[in-house]
Amino acid sequence: MALKVSIGLAAAFIACFPAAAQSSSSDGACELHIWPGAGLNSVYSGVFHGGIVNGAVTGRDGYPALAVEPIDTANQVELLRSAALRDQLNLAKYQPIVHEEALSSRLMRTSVARIAPSSAPCYAEFIVDSVFFQQDIVDGSYLKILFRYRDFTTEPAPRRVFSTWTKTRLTLLPPTPATDMVAAAAELRAAFTSDVALFASALAKPSNTKASH
């Protein structure tokens, strides 16, 4: 599915792109630009209520408290840097560049040009869109993530666009009085890494050549 936006919008964004995020390879190598998400959201479906987004994260009455440090943007940056993404995405010749700030929802959904101000001869993007702690009274708890990927190769517009949700089951969240919170936080981080691998696996499948929403 082609994404539509004026080139002017993309140019305006590039003009104000944070200096720290402009780092790129200087040897003319291909580049894989990687962006974290804005933080952890939550959704709960129960017997008597449910459906309010971020009930657990914000401690809303009647919703099971998450009570564990969420995966914020900084945590995601650390996990993405250790994920060996260029190998998982089969982009061995691409230099990975992990940005420290999340993209706006509007930009990641509408840009048709390269988001990063890069002049690399070949270029790709991996974006963490939405991260959810999902709890269902029947199905249990999951870390569910929407990822977006665009591969421009050497073209001004992406040659491939792919996005999909992944989810990894959680067994320690929401916590009980007996829950080891250190272990629960570690499980959450491991689930993030698992979701990244699940996305890479979905991207590699020949049948998934079109964007999934």
Side-chain angles (χ1 to χ4, degrees), residues 11-108:
F13 174 79
I14 289 173
C16 64
F17 207 75
Q22 293 185 20
S23 61
S24 61
S25 59
S26 57
D27 58 0
C30 298
E31 294 177 355
L32 169 62
H33 287 260
I34 303 162
W35 282 273
L40 184 65
N41 301 290
S42 65
V43 62
Y44 171 74
S45 297
V47 177
F48 300 107
H49 65 277
I52 295 179
V53 174
N54 290 337
V57 170
T58 60
R60 186 181 178 92
D61 289 344
Y63 282 76
L66 190 55
V68 64
E69 183 174 340
I71 300 178
D72 61 14
T73 298
N75 296 146
Q76 293 180 40
V77 167
E78 178 183 352
L79 292 167
L80 290 168
R81 282 176 174 159
S82 62
L85 265 172
R86 67 176 177 181
D87 296 328
Q88 292 202 60
L89 301 178
N90 196 28
L91 297 174
K93 296 181 179 180
Y94 284 60
Q95 175 67 32
I97 300 169
V98 181
H99 297 261
E100 295 185 354
E101 297 181 12
L103 296 173
S104 71
S105 177
R106 181 184 180 188
L107 181 66
M108 72 175 71

Side-chain angles (χ1 to χ4, degrees), residues 101-186:
E101 297 181 12
L103 296 173
S104 71
S105 177
R106 181 184 180 188
L107 181 66
M108 72 175 71
R109 286 171 168 79
T110 60
S111 176
V112 294
R114 296 182 178 191
I115 292 177
S118 169
S119 59
C122 36
Y123 172 100
E125 298 172 347
F126 177 88
I127 302 169
V128 179
D129 185 326
S130 300
V131 183
F132 273 88
F133 166 62
Q134 176 180 303
Q135 186 194 15
D136 186 278
I137 196 67
V138 175
D139 294 336
S141 299
Y142 293 87
L143 183 68
K144 187 175 180 180
I145 304 179
L146 175 61
F147 296 101
R148 296 182 181 274
Y149 173 80
R150 301 196 301 171
D151 188 358
F152 288 72
T153 60
T154 60
E155 304 300 322
R159 295 292 302 273
R160 184 181 185 189
V161 178
F162 179 76
S163 62
T164 194
W165 287 93
T166 62
K167 65 179 184 179
T168 296
R169 181 177 289 278
L170 301 169
T171 61
L172 300 178
L173 295 173
T176 68
T179 297
D180 180 338
M181 298 310 297
V182 174

